[in-house]
Every structure is written in C-alpha cells, then in structure tokens.
Amino acid sequence: MLTQAFYTGLSGLKNSGTAIDAISDNIANVNTVGYRGYDVEFSSMFEEVLATSGNIDSTQNSVGMGSQVQVTSMIAGNGSLTLTDRSTDLAINGDGWFGIQGNSNTLYTRAGNFTFDVNSDLVTTDGYHVMGTLAGNIEGELLTKKVDTIALSDVSQQKPLNFPKVLTYPAEPTANVEFLGNIGFGEQDIVMSSSVIDSQNNRNKLELRFSIAETQVPPGTQWNVSATTQSLDGSVNYDTQSGTISFDEKGALVSNSLTTIDNNGSMVNINLGEGFTGIVSIDSTNLTSSSVADGNIGGDLIGYEVNKNAEVIATFTNGMQSSVGKVAVFHFQNNQGLERIDSSKFSISSNSGDAIFYQDSEGNNILGTDIQNFQLENSNIKMEVSLTELIVHQRSYDANSKSLTTADEMMQKALSMDA
C-alpha cells in the first residue's frame, strides 16, 4: 500500500504540474491576438482489482495506481472579435488559418494583425510574409488590367503577397461615346459635349453641333452635325468630322452618317442611338442633352488596403481601384494535429495532414469561411475558467505532495518498528 501511495502521489505531482504549466501559459497569453489555448487530459496508468463479483462495477472493485497525461489538446472555440482602425487587420470568423512564410517554411496562424511594410509587402507584426494568390495584373510598376475579384489558385501555388511601392494605373483612351437628348425642331443650333481621354493621358473635349439642314425632305426632318475634338482649353483642335442625321415625323432617329472621330491619335466611336434611344427631335421647350463615355485618365498609386473578401485593393489618384491579390485561408483535416511553434504559430504534422482549400459546387477554390476586416480575433481563453482550473490543479498538487509526505512518514515508522 505504501508503494501504491508513492506511485499515486508522484504521478499526481507530475500531472498537476503539467496542467499548471499549460494553464499558466494560457493565462499569460490571454491578450495575445489569435492565441489558441490548450487543455490537459488525463488517464489511469493501471488499476488493482479488489473483487471480481459480477454485482460490483469497475468503479467499486478496483483502486487506481496512478495517472498519466493522456493528451494536451487544442481548445477549438474561437476568440471574441475586437474592432480596429486598419483594413489589414483580419479575423477569421469560423474555421481556417492564415498562411505566413518566414525563410522557406510556411506556418499557420489565427492572428491576422497584418500590415504593409516599407516595401509594400503584406506582413505580420514580426516580419512573416502573408501567403495568398496574386492577381497577375502587375508588370514592374504598371497595372496591366483592372481586376474586380480574384479566385484562389491551388494550395501549392500560394505566394507571399508582395506589391510594388510605385504603381501606375494606365490611361484608357476613350473608344465609345454615347449621346442622348432632344434637339427640338431646329429653331437654333444645339451643342452637346463630352469629356474624352486620349492615349497620352490627356482629358480632351468632344463637341457636337447640330443645325437644321436648309433643304428638308418630308416626312421628318434632316440635320447637319459637326464633331470636333480639342484640348480642354480649346487651344488645340485634333479633328473635325461632319455628317447628317435624319428623323421621322415622330422625331425618332432613322439615319446617321457621323460615326468616328480622331482624338489625338485615338479613334472614338460616336453613338447617337437609333429610334428613341439616343438623339431625338421632338417639338418641346425642354431641350436636354447628356453623354456617356468610356475610358479613364491614368493615375498613381495612393495605397493598398484589404477588403472584407480578403482581397488586396490598390487605389489610384484617378479614383480607380483594382484587386491585386487575395489572402488565402487554409484548412486541415485535423486541426488538433498541428504542431505549435509559439503562442500563435503552428506547423503541419503527419497528424494534421496537408493544408487544403475548400471548394464550391463548381470546383473553384474558396475561402470557406467569413473574413472580417478592421477586426482582430482575441485569445480564446476565458480568464475566469482558467483561474478556477488553476486553483483546482494547485490544490491537487498540494494534496499529492501531502500524500507523499504521509507515505514517507509511514515508511519511517514501519522501519523503526522493525528495528
């Protein structure tokens, strides 16, 4: 029995000490962003059977001979979310892990307190590069195309999200201008205009002047139209084109010979519509005009931010935006199998399996969870629970220590009686 007391006391001391260490680590990291706490689970090492009667269950006919740490398991619940003032602060509201890379190894974390460093690379606060999919629309310091949304590439193709410090949104010359309005019945000349962009990144003016034709062929009316492209200040004319347009007796456009005009080296299609969809000639005092033109003036990079879809958005001085990358969210078949590296970083192991992406019904890779920007996930440790558990295990440690002291005293008495 004394030997049993020593076994029980020693194993209890060891196990309680392990539990106290784990709980203390949890409490120490209660304010660590993305921290995942750990629980310690125990099991009996072996038991001594006292009776074999079928009427007595196993809890009544055996005495434990000590315990051992069975497993240290990760606490799976998510931490609460805290609002921040940075779009690069991301929180995973559900299952999943961010991938980060230092040197050549990819680690995984729930801590989304990211930032753009001096090189415009998306990194963690301790310098790890955040992994994701690049849009492939940047060549050097030039944005090659505007991208609205990005699909995740394969898991093996995720790269550090590195972006240039200087980025230019190229000029998109105007190719099409649509004019709409009512020019009335010809009492006076009507002028309509639109802003147009040339290939040299200049904003120019396209002006249309409508005048009633001297010779009219009923039914309907015929008009002359003159188009001119010029600089905004009117000092330079780039091209002038003329044509005629005809309306039926109701004022609907039935023909138009003015189609294109040169805008400082860029051809622009002039769309006056047809029927009642564009320019009309209706007897009314309400003469209206409007225009819609494509193309954009070029712009310089203002900065990068991250939206709620975990996409990195580049914003330019011309008011345009484009997605240039997407933060990846990785998943594992067994999160418990991840190997802890430090308070918030983990690496894969044979128990966790390789990182995977969730897919939609069409086989496209997706995040598979909700991402919250301007928020961070706190530690998933509840202080009141941890303090209670700490008290329990401290008392367990004291009790096991007392059992060893008592067993030692009994052993000393037994030895002195033999003497």
Side-chain angles (χ1 to χ4, degrees):
M1 291 299 292
L2 291 177
T3 302
Q4 177 181 330
F6 278 113
Y7 272 126
T8 303
L10 287 172
S11 65
L13 281 178
K14 180 180 178 180
N15 296 337
S16 296
T18 300
I20 290 172
D21 289 342
I23 297 171
S24 299
D25 190 37
N26 290 343
I27 294 174
N29 286 280
V30 71
N31 293 319
T32 300
V33 175
Y35 179 78
R36 279 286 185 267
Y38 274 81
D39 275 335
V40 179
E41 300 177 11
F42 307 98
S43 65
S44 297
M45 287 195 297
F46 48 86
E47 296 179 343
E48 179 181 4
V49 177
L50 299 179
T52 58
S53 171
N55 296 326
I56 303 177
D57 61 36
S58 60
T59 61
Q60 296 174 320
N61 66 358
S62 64
V63 175
M65 301 291 287
S67 62
Q68 62 183 350
V69 175
Q70 180 69 20
V71 66
T72 302
S73 59
M74 183 190 305
I75 300 174
N78 292 346
S80 60
L81 302 183
T82 298
L83 289 172
T84 71
D85 58 357
R86 299 192 306 179
S87 70
T88 54
D89 286 336
L90 304 179
I92 300 175
N93 192 12
D95 179 53
W97 302 82
F98 297 117
I100 57 177
Q101 189 178 85
N103 298 324
S104 59
N105 297 324
T106 299
L107 302 178
Y108 302 92
T109 182
R110 297 278 298 190
N113 46 342
F114 306 139
T115 187
F116 289 104
D117 64 10
V118 294
N119 297 317
S120 294
D121 300 339
L122 189 61
V123 297
T124 65
T125 54
D126 49 358
Y128 284 78
H129 286 80
V130 181
M131 304 295 288
T133 297
L134 295 171
N137 58 344
I138 296 177
E139 290 184 4
E141 297 179 351
L142 181 67
L143 186 79
T144 58
K145 63 179 179 179
K146 182 178 182 296
V147 174
D148 293 325
T149 186
I150 300 174
L152 288 173
S153 58
D154 293 338
V155 173
S156 60
Q157 297 176 345
Q158 302 308 296
K159 300 178 180 180
L161 293 175
N162 303 331
F163 306 101
K165 295 177 62 176
V166 177
L167 187 62
T168 300
Y169 192 103
E172 297 177 351
T174 300
N176 300 281
V177 180
E178 179 182 2
F179 287 92
L180 306 97
N182 177 25
I183 60 176
F185 261 23
E187 291 83 359
Q188 58 185 4
D189 289 356
I190 301 298
V191 176
M192 297 183 182
S193 63
S194 173
S195 176
V196 289
I197 310 300
D198 66 22
S199 57
Q200 285 75 46
N201 199 30
N202 298 313
R203 190 182 297 276
N204 302 320
K205 180 171 69 173
L206 168 59
E207 182 178 279
L208 301 185
R209 181 175 292 274
F210 300 88
S211 59
I212 193 74
E214 293 183 2
T215 302
Q216 294 292 311
V217 180
T221 58
Q222 292 78 46
W223 292 68
N224 297 318
V225 56
S226 174
T228 302
T229 51
Q230 58 184 208
S231 59
L232 282 181
D233 60 7
S235 62
V236 180
N237 283 355
Y238 299 113
D239 191 17
T240 298
Q241 297 290 330
S242 299
T244 59
I245 58 176
S246 299
F247 300 91
D248 64 16
E249 65 277 10
K250 295 181 179 179
L253 183 65
V254 293
S255 68
N256 168 34
S257 64
L258 180 66
T259 56
T260 61
I261 192 171
D262 178 70
N263 175 33
N264 193 19
S266 301
M267 297 305 297
V268 177
N269 296 315
I270 300 174
N271 181 8
L272 301 183
E274 59 180 344
F276 292 100
T277 62
I279 301 299
V280 297
S281 176
I282 300 174
D283 187 12
S284 172
T285 58
N286 184 22
L287 303 182
T288 62
S289 67
S290 64
S291 62
V292 178
D294 59 13
N296 285 291
I297 199 79
D300 297 322
L301 178 70
I302 295 176
Y304 300 101
E305 58 184 11
V306 183
N307 67 13
K308 64 179 181 180
N309 296 321
E311 296 193 15
V312 180
I313 305 298
T315 303
F316 300 88
T317 54
N318 60 354
M320 300 301 293
Q321 292 184 318
S322 176
S323 181
V324 292
K326 188 181 185 74
V327 178
V329 176
F330 300 85
H331 301 272
F332 296 92
Q333 293 181 344
N334 178 25
N335 289 330
Q336 294 287 347
L338 291 171
E339 182 179 347
R340 170 174 257 165
I341 302 301
D342 63 22
S343 60
S344 61
K345 301 182 185 69
F346 297 80
S347 64
I348 63 173
S349 70
S350 57
N351 289 328
S352 66
D354 293 331
I356 61 174
F357 283 155
Y358 288 162
Q359 295 183 333
D360 60 18
S361 58
E362 298 178 354
N364 299 314
N365 294 327
I366 59 175
L367 295 178
T369 189
D370 290 331
I371 298 295
Q372 307 289 335
N373 61 339
F374 293 99
Q375 296 190 55
L376 289 174
E377 180 185 6
N378 298 316
S379 166
N380 67 344
I381 295 301
K382 295 181 179 180
M383 179 64 79
E384 65 277 12
V385 174
S386 295
L387 289 176
T388 300
E389 292 177 346
L390 183 62
I391 293 172
V392 170
H393 287 289
Q394 284 178 331
R395 290 184 176 179
S396 174
Y397 188 94
D398 292 342
N400 283 291
S401 177
K402 183 63 176 178
S403 70
L404 286 175
T405 302
T406 301
D408 180 65
E409 291 175 351
M410 293 177 66
M411 181 70 74
Q412 294 297 327
K413 289 183 178 180
L415 291 175
S416 62
M417 291 176 62
D418 290 341

